[in-house]
Amino acid sequence: MFGHRVFADAVSTYEDARFVIFGVPFDATSSFRYGSREAPDAIRKASYNFETYNDFYGVDLTDVRIHDPGNLDVDFCSDDMLCMVHDAVAKILHDSKIPIVLGGEHTLTYGCARAFVEMFDDAGIIVLDAHLDLRDEYLGAKHSHACVSRNIIDDLTDRCVLIGVRSGSAEEYRYAKKKEILWHSSDEVHDNGIESVMEKAFDALSDCKKIYLSIDLDVIDPGYAPGVGNPEPFGLDPRDVRAVIRMAAPYTDGFDVSEINPGYDHGESAMLGARLVREFIAAKSASQIQ
Ligand code: MN
Ligand code: MN
């Protein structure tokens, strides 16, 4: 038997699991660098670097029920991929479990978010990203990584906050202004602190009881995470992203990390991605809000 390598400590059955981690090896709309299809397995491999015990929360991940069924069998069609991701996330949510999705391109988040807002009337979405991702279409594709926040906000919900932004076209910034899209720049995080930015985000989402948290890893400074599809300088410190996870985890019932491109570094970015997933699981497990 040639079983796949599961995410570290993901040894539960689906039935028993509280968290279900699956991969989406999709990078067909990448504009600058292909390779994020390799990320789910690179993140799994990196996950074995870490201790099972999280001292901040006093949680041992060997005591948490986690299942990893492997990767979705996606090809090059965005629409097919989004259907598969939607159906997989919808089933996990329907079974009262928490989906954790390993990208692949950020494009996949639309499928996750659609399942999430269908499931929960009071859903809010937090996207960490260097880029606005507010293009109407990109290189002829409506479902491209460069359009994911636009598609979420136009089609699904305007209860969506973008954090860590430092890149977009003039048209995207105009669109954000016109539609009063809630976004916070990387400089604002640097100048005022992540706590202040998260306070504003929570205010904006105050009528949301359930949060979906999407992390495009390029939100982090390329000095820490060079292995991403579109590296953008002047980014967040990894501690800021960890702080977002810690603050949001009690309300968060869906999570993804995308855009890691393992061919462009020495494993640092996959290592960070794996560590952030483990932080989310520990934070959520320790939360009193279930
Ligand atoms: Mn993105
Ligand atoms: Mn990005």
Side-chain angles (χ1 to χ4, degrees), residues 105-107 127-133 145-149 214-218 258-259:
E105 275 180 28
H106 200 191
T107 320
V127 178
L128 271 60
D129 200 330
H131 306 94
L132 282 169
D133 287 354
H145 66 97
C147 313
V148 60
S149 294
S214 175
I215 299 178
D216 177 333
L217 204 83
D218 67 31
S258 66
E259 292 290 339

Side-chain angles (χ1 to χ4, degrees), residues 16 20 57 65 99 115 123 136 152 168 182 259 286:
D16 289 344
V20 178
Y57 286 108
R65 288 158 293 136
D136 187 31
I152 288 170
L182 306 161
E259 292 290 339

Side-chain angles (χ1 to χ4, degrees), residues 34-45:
Y34 289 93
S36 64
R37 81 185 74 166
E38 310 293 342
D41 290 339
I43 296 166
R44 288 187 178 97
K45 193 173 169 191

